[in-house]
Amino acid sequence: MSELKLLPGWLDADATALAGAVPPGPTLADALPGLTQAQAMTPLQRLQRLQASGLVECGGAGEPIHLAWRQFLRDRGPSVLVIDATGFDTRARGAAAVLDGAPWLLAEGVLIAAGLRDSRKVELRLPAELTGREAALLNTADAIQSLRQVSAPRIHVEVQRNSRPGCWGEGHPTDRSRLIHTPETWCRVALLFAGASGLHASLLTLRRGMEQRGLVELARTGNLRRQIDNWGGGEAQGRDAVLVFDDGLGGFLPLSAADLSCEPLSFASAGIIPAPSTLMEMAEGVCVVKQTRRALYRHWLLADGEATEVRGLLARSARLAARITLGRGSAAHLAALDEAAIELATQGLAAAWPLSSSLRYYREQWERHVRRESCPEGLCLERSEAPCHRTCPSNIDIPNFMAHIGHGDYRSAIEVIRRDNPLPLTCGLVCPAPCESACVRSGSDGAVFIRSMKTKAAEHCLVEGSYPKPKLAPATGKRIGIVGSGPSGLAAAYYLRTFGHEVEVFEGQEKAGGMLRYGIPAYRLPPDQLDQELDQIRALGVNIRTGAKVDSLDVFRKDYDAVFLGLGTQRSRLLKIEGVHQSFVLGGIDFLRAVRSGDPVRVGPRVVVIGGGNVAVDVALTALRQGAKHVDMVYRQSRRKMTASPHEIEIAVAEGVQLYTGWSPVSIDEDGEVVFQFSEEVKDDSGSSEQKPDATRLLKLEADHVMLAVGQGTDLTSIEGSGLEVNRGFIVTDRRSLMTKVPGVFAGGDVEHGPRTAVEAIRSGKIAAASIDAWLRGTAMDAATGKAVRRARVVPLTVAAHDRTYLRRAMMPERSVEETVGEGNYVRIEEGLTDAMAHDEACRCLRCDICIGCGLCMAACSEMGVEALRMSDTTAGRLAYFDFTRPAKLCIGCGACSQVCPTGAIRIEDRDGVRRTIITGTIVCEQPLLTCSNCGASTRTPAHREFVRRRLPDYMAAPMDRELCPSCERQRADRPAVGVSGRVFKEAEGQK
C-alpha cells in the first residue's frame, strides 16, 4: 500500500467554510462534536485521553502534547491559550491552510483546552507573511455563539502580528500560564476528541527538488525515503542529494541516510528537526557548510531579546562557522564547533539541528574547508567581489569607480570603467542595469543609481575634451579585421588595440555604431553623443571604415592574421500567423533602422506593436514620433514577465501607449484588423507555468500599421561556404574562446549568443579580444578574462552615519511628456543626475568590495554581550549594514569587531584623545579615551572600562580605579603590591 498522502480529509472537508462564518452544523453537538465529548470529561480525564493517544506537536520539537498540558494544569492564576502560526520557513503553507481551511476545527481544539483552567483569552501569533489570515478564525469565534444549545465559553482572540518563532527547540523552561500549539496541532486535538483516526501525521510543504510540490501529509509511521520517492524526489538530484528541512534551520540529511521512520524520536536521533514544516531536496554537491552558516545566523536573529548567555553561544557558533567558510578556520575551530553543537543541544536550542546534522553527515566538507582545499560549490574560501561587480555583464569594478566619482575624480572613474567597458557613456544611457538589481540596497531603500553614474563621469570627461587614454602595449605587427561596428565589434577593437595590434573595423552601413545607432532611438541614445564615444576609440588608432560591406569571409580573412565577426542581429523575425505578409506589417528592427537612417517613414494614425521587450517599447515610442496618434502594445504573457525594463514600460505608458498583456496574436486581415486570443498563465503541479490559449476570448484591434518586435535574426550571406558552423541562425563558437571551427576566425555578440543587451555584446567582444591576443601570441588566455577583477582600491568616502543610513535613491530628472512627445521630437528623455545627486549616490554605496558581509564583527560584538552592531540579510545572499546609527548608542569601543574583520572594513582610530569606530568610511561612534594615571598614554573608553568592571568580582574590579596602560600595568606587576589595591589582592589571596 502506498504511503503517499496528499491533504487530510478534515482539511478538504472543512475548506467549504473558508470564511468561518458558516457553521458545519446547526447545534453545538453538530458543529463541534469533539468539544461536546470533552465537556463530559474532567480536566484530568482530558489529559489522560491525550496521553493515551500519543499525539505530538505538529512542528518544531514534536514533543508529546500531554507534557505541555500537564504543566499547564499544574499552574494557577490567569492563563492564555496560544495559537502559534510562526515557523522557521516562511514558505511553509501548513499554517495558512489551516487558518483558511479549518477555522472551526481550530476553534474547537482551543475550546477543549479552555476547559482545563477556564481560560478565556486566546493569543494568535501571526508572522508578517500571514497578515490577514486571522479573519476566518475571528468569524468562527463569533459564529459559535449563534449556535443552538451553546454552552461553550466565550473567548477573546488577540492577534499578535509580525510575530517570529523562538530560538528554542526542546526541553527549555516554558511559561506555564500559556498553552502553546501550532494551528494544526489544535485541529488534531479537536479531531482526537471527536473520535477521528489517522492522526499520527503532520502537514509538510514540499519545495524544490520534488516533482510533487506544495502541501502534503507526512505519515509519521511511514518511512521517509519511501515517501520522498512517492513525492517524486529521490536520486533525481544526485545519488546522495541533500535533504533540507525548514529551509536549513531544521537541519540537513543525506538522501542515503533517509531510510528511517518519520516518528519525531527517529528524526531527533538523526539530528534533524523532529517535526519539520518544509522539505526540499538540493543537488548533490551543495555546500552544506555555507548553508549551515546561514542557518546559524538566522537562529541568532530569532534569539533577539534572549539572555546574554544564549545569544553569546549562538553568536560564537555563527562566528566559528563564518571563519571556516572564509578559509580562516583551523582544526581547533572545528573542535570548538563540535563543543558548541553539544552545548546548543544541551540547552535545548534549535540551532543544534543544522549544526549537529551538518557536522555529523558532512564532516568531510567541513574538514576540506578547514584545510582550505575546496568548497563543493566554489562559494567559500575565496573572497568574492561585490554583488554589483560580479553581476555586471562586462564586470566593471563598480564600487571603486563610484568611489572615484564621490571624491570628484571623474577621469579616474572613467579609467576604471574602461578597463572592462570602452563605452561608459553609451552604457550609462541604454544599459538595463542588472548591477542595480543585484545591489544589496535594492531590497531595502532602493539600489544605488549605478547606471547613470557612468554617464555622469563620461560627460565630465568629454566636456574637458576626451577620456583618459589607456596605455597601449608595444606594436605586435599583427593585423585584425573586424566585421561590424556594433558594441561587440567596438569592444573587440578597443581591447585588441590596447594589446598592441593593428585593428580595422568594417561597417556596411553609412555610419558606425551598428545596433547602437540603428536599433536604439535617439531619445535614449542621441547620435551626437554616440559619435563622441566612437571618436574616443578612433583616437587610439582604430580605423573604422563605413559603407564597407564584406561580401565574402574567405576573401576578407586573407588580409588579416585574425578576424572577428560582430555581425549583430539586424533582421526582424516574423510570426507564423495568417496575414503577416501584408504590406502594412513591418518588422520592428527594420522600422527602427529606417528611422535612424533618416528615411521619411510615417506610420499610423493607429499602430499595433506585438512584443514585450525593450525593442517593442522602442518601436512603440518611435511610432509616436513618426506620425502615430494611438499605439497599442500587445504581449502574450503578463506584465510581470515582460522582458523590457520596468522603467521603459512606465515611460511608454506615460506617453500614452495602451498596454495589453496576456494576449497572443492569431491573425491580421487585409483591412488592418488584428485578432488576438487570451493566453492564460497556468501552473502545473511542479510549480512551472505555461501559457494556455483560450480561443473563446478574443481581442480585436484596428491598425494602420502592425509592428512585429518578437525576435531578431542575422544576415549570414557573407560567411556562406566559409566552413563556419551555424545553428538556428547563429554562428557556433567555442564557449570559452569564442573561436569558430575555422582557426583564426572568432565571433561574438548577438550573432553568436542571440539577441541580448549592448553590455552583454561588449562583454563578448572583450573576451574575444583576449582570446585573439592569446591565440596570436601562442599563449593561454588569462583565466581572469570574463570574471570580476578589482581594478583599484579607492579609499572609502567619509560619510556621516545619518546620511549613510537615510539617504534615498535619487529620482532621475526627466523631461515632461509634453517636452518629449511629438512628431520628429527625439530630444533625450533623461536629463541626467546633477553633480550633487551623483555624490549622494556614491555616498549611499555600501562598499561591498571592502565589507564582504561575513558577519564576524556582529557575531563578536554579540558574543561580547554588547549588541552594538546589526547587519541585515539581503536578496544578494549576504549580510550588509543598513543602520549606521545604532553603534552610537551601544558601542563601548572595545575594538573586538576590528580585530575579527578579515578585510579591514571596520577599523578603530585613536586621535586627539578620541576613539572612533569606522565602518567603510563612516564614523559610527566617537568616544573619549581615558589616560594612563602613570604615563598619560591613551588607554580605553570609559564605556569599555565600565563594561569590564560589571563583569568582575569586587576584588578584581577595584584596581581598575587607577587607570593604567598595558605597559605600566606590566611594570607594576613586577613590584610589591602597595596601598588599598594591594590590600584587596592580599585579602583575596588569603581567602583562597
Side-chain angles (χ1 to χ4, degrees), residues 22 102 167 174 230 245 284 410 449 457 467 511 524 539 545 615 626 633 670 797 851 862 909 938 957 965:
V22 181
C167 63
T174 57
N230 285 333
F245 298 90
E284 182 179 14
Y410 299 104
F449 213 151
Y467 293 156
K511 294 184 178 181
R524 287 179 61 201
R545 298 172 57 180
V615 172
Q626 295 298 126
M633 188 160 74
E670 60 184 10
L797 300 175
C851 175
S862 179
E909 178 183 277
S938 297
C965 66

Side-chain angles (χ1 to χ4, degrees), residues 735-860:
R735 177 172 288 185
R736 172 66 179 154
S737 68
L738 298 185
M739 184 186 285
T740 67
K741 284 194 172 182
V742 177
V745 177
F746 299 75
D750 288 0
V751 75
E752 183 266 335
H753 55 52
R756 296 185 190 172
T757 61
V759 70
E760 289 175 282
I762 288 170
R763 169 189 174 84
S764 183
K766 181 177 67 171
I767 293 173
S771 180
I772 293 170
D773 180 62
W775 183 75
L776 291 173
R777 297 178 188 271
T779 61
M781 186 167 63
D782 187 350
T785 301
K787 297 180 180 179
V789 177
R790 292 186 77 182
R791 301 302 188 183
R793 280 168 171 74
V794 184
V795 175
L797 300 175
T798 301
V799 186
H802 184 274
D803 291 345
R804 196 84 176 276
T805 302
Y806 296 110
L807 273 175
R808 293 294 179 261
R809 176 182 166 100
M811 293 292 292
M812 169 63 72
E814 294 180 345
R815 291 181 172 86
S816 67
V817 173
E818 291 75 19
E819 293 177 284
T820 59
V821 173
E823 190 166 344
N825 187 354
Y826 285 93
V827 62
R828 198 175 109 187
I829 295 175
E830 290 185 352
E831 296 184 287
L833 300 181
T834 65
D835 288 355
M837 287 177 174
H839 181 269
D840 283 349
E841 286 301 307
C843 290
R844 294 183 68 238
C845 176
L846 298 178
R847 292 306 300 267
C848 298
D849 59 323
I850 301 175
C851 175
I852 59 176
C854 64
L856 282 176
C857 53
M858 181 175 63

Side-chain angles (χ1 to χ4, degrees), residues 457-472:
E459 289 177 339
H460 267 280
C461 289
L462 292 174
V463 166
E464 294 174 5
S466 67
Y467 293 156
K469 287 188 177 181
K471 183 179 180 180
L472 304 183

Side-chain angles (χ1 to χ4, degrees), residues 59-63 88 166-172 243 245-246 248-253 264 267-277 288 292 295-296 299 302 314 340-342 344-345 348-362:
E63 294 181 311
F88 290 137
C167 63
W168 297 99
E170 54 187 332
H172 62 282
L243 301 178
F245 298 90
D246 283 31
L249 276 73
F252 311 92
L253 189 71
F267 277 15
S269 298
I272 58 175
I273 183 171
S277 62
V288 178
T292 303
L296 290 173
H299 276 295
L302 295 177
L314 290 167
I342 295 173
L344 289 169
L349 288 162
W353 297 325
L355 183 56
S356 298
S357 61
S358 66
L359 288 170
R360 176 176 173 180
Y361 298 109
Y362 299 94

Side-chain angles (χ1 to χ4, degrees), residues 195-471:
S197 59
L199 299 180
H200 294 287
S202 61
L203 296 175
L204 182 70
T205 303
L206 300 181
R207 293 181 53 199
R208 66 180 185 182
M210 310 278 182
E211 290 181 11
Q212 177 73 39
R213 294 283 187 91
L215 207 57
V216 298
E217 192 172 36
L218 175 71
R220 288 215 171 100
T221 56
N223 178 277
L224 177 60
R225 177 59 190 266
R226 285 198 289 272
Q227 293 189 75
I228 288 173
D229 289 340
N230 285 333
W231 294 326
E235 296 184 1
Q237 300 293 324
R239 300 186 67 181
D240 210 10
V242 182
L243 301 178
V244 182
F245 298 90
D246 283 31
D247 201 24
L249 276 73
F252 311 92
L253 189 71
L255 185 62
S256 58
D259 189 15
L260 63 129
S261 166
C262 296
E263 292 285 355
L265 286 177
S266 176
F267 277 15
S269 298
I272 58 175
I273 183 171
S277 62
T278 69
L279 171 64
M280 63 178 169
E281 186 176 327
M282 299 184 76
E284 182 179 14
V286 69
C287 181
V288 178
V289 175
K290 187 174 182 68
Q291 294 288 333
T292 303
R293 168 189 169 185
R294 172 175 171 268
L296 290 173
Y297 162 74
R298 293 174 64 192
H299 276 295
W300 173 82
L301 280 181
L302 295 177
D304 194 22
E306 296 288 347
T308 301
E309 295 75 18
V310 171
R311 286 186 61 77
L313 174 59
L314 290 167
R316 177 158 57 92
S317 303
R319 177 177 59 82
L320 291 169
R323 286 187 66 90
I324 291 173
T325 59
L326 293 172
R328 302 169 71 89
S330 64
H333 290 105
L334 189 55
L337 264 183
D338 287 328
E339 294 176 3
I342 295 173
E343 193 171 352
L344 289 169
T346 302
Q347 294 197 23
L349 288 162
W353 297 325
L355 183 56
S356 298
S357 61
S358 66
L359 288 170
R360 176 176 173 180
Y361 298 109
Y362 299 94
R363 188 79 183 187
E364 184 178 351
Q365 276 196 26
W366 286 96
E367 291 174 348
R368 284 182 175 273
H369 277 73
V370 165
R371 294 193 298 266
R372 300 171 183 81
E373 290 179 356
S374 65
C375 165
E377 293 185 75
L379 299 173
C380 307
L381 305 180
E382 295 183 5
R383 178 173 172 177
S384 63
E385 300 304 332
C388 57
H389 187 177
R390 64 175 182 262
T391 303
C392 173
S394 61
N395 299 125
I396 297 172
D397 184 355
I398 292 170
N400 280 291
F401 100 69
M402 295 275 289
H404 274 312
I405 292 177
H407 288 299
D409 190 351
Y410 299 104
R411 296 189 70 79
S412 292
I414 288 297
E415 285 180 339
V416 170
I417 295 170
R418 295 188 97 205
R419 292 286 299 276
D420 294 288
N421 186 329
L423 305 172
L425 175 60
T426 297
C427 279
L429 292 173
V430 305
C431 183
C435 54
E436 294 181 16
S437 299
C439 176
V440 297
R441 294 197 87 138
S442 64
S444 57
D445 55 359
V448 176
F449 213 151
I450 300 168
R451 174 180 64 83
S452 58
M453 298 287 276
K454 296 193 286 288
T455 305
K456 172 56 62 177
E459 289 177 339
H460 267 280
C461 289
L462 292 174
V463 166
E464 294 174 5
S466 67
Y467 293 156
K469 287 188 177 181
K471 183 179 180 180

